[in-house]
Amino acid sequence: MRRLIFASNNKHKLVEVRAALEGIVEVVSLAEAGLEGEIPETANTLQGNALQKAQWVWERSHTDCFADDTGLEVDALGGAPGVYSARYAGEHCSFDDNIDKLLAALDGQRNRKADFRTVICLIENGRECYFEGRVDGQILSERHTNGEGFGYDPIFMPDRFAVSFAEMPLDVKNRISHRGLAVAKLKEYLEK
Ligand code: IMP
């Protein structure tokens, strides 16, 4: 089967992406590809970061690869934390630190609208191609979790659902999520 290196060692993302691309391509993590080191993520757009991560892998492996970058865009915060979602509460902060900071920033705020947006950059034979997915929803006022998910999942409730991402079975999240939708477009492209 065709192999694609995924520029991530995030276990949650690997599980999600592998499940979505099962039977189409073998998704290889950075560790499995023998690639070590910190991938730079210094662009100020999701597309720029996805490209930077995919290029880092391509330059070292000359193997077809893809990378994703995701941002949580909160309406009342003018789209923040956006491209800075991972480091919202500071360098090396935890998911909980980010959630605490966001809940504090939205304390008393009635506009809870937000979206998750993912951009995937695929590099195939040295050429780039992009796929985007987006899901709209609300930021909850406290954590709702069954222990599923990661990142901001406990406080994000997608539109038309009454539960947070962290309360959903993975297959449901994958079907409707930002990354799920972006990966579905990647899958459609790879199947052609
Ligand atoms: P990344 O740059 O794609 O790793 O995503 C940036 C940050 O967005 C991550 O550190 C997470 O905090 C958050 N994030 C990305 N994807 C998800 C998701 O599916 N659920 C919740 N948070 C996410």
Side-chain angles (χ1 to χ4, degrees), residues 149-166:
F150 71 103
Y152 298 91
D153 279 349
I155 57 165
F156 185 83
M157 184 170 74
D159 288 348
R160 292 177 296 281
F161 285 80
V163 292
S164 76
F165 266 170

Side-chain angles (χ1 to χ4, degrees), residues 35-75:
L35 295 172
E36 286 175 5
E38 192 79 352
I39 308 189
E41 258 186 74
T42 53
N44 56 11
T45 60
L46 298 177
Q47 180 164 338
N49 272 341
L51 170 63
Q52 202 175 24
K53 290 190 257 188
Q55 260 173 348
W56 187 92
V57 173
W58 174 260
E59 281 161 12
R60 281 159 186 77
S61 66
H62 285 275
T63 302
D64 290 350
C65 57
F66 65 104
D68 75 319
D69 202 51
T70 295
L72 174 64
E73 301 170 323
V74 179
D75 207 45

Side-chain angles (χ1 to χ4, degrees), residues 13 41 69-70 85-86 95 116 150-153 173 178-179:
K13 283 190 187 177
E41 258 186 74
D69 202 51
T70 295
S85 295
F95 291 144
F116 268 116
F150 71 103
Y152 298 91
D153 279 349
K173 179 185 172 192
H178 46 301
R179 197 168 25 262

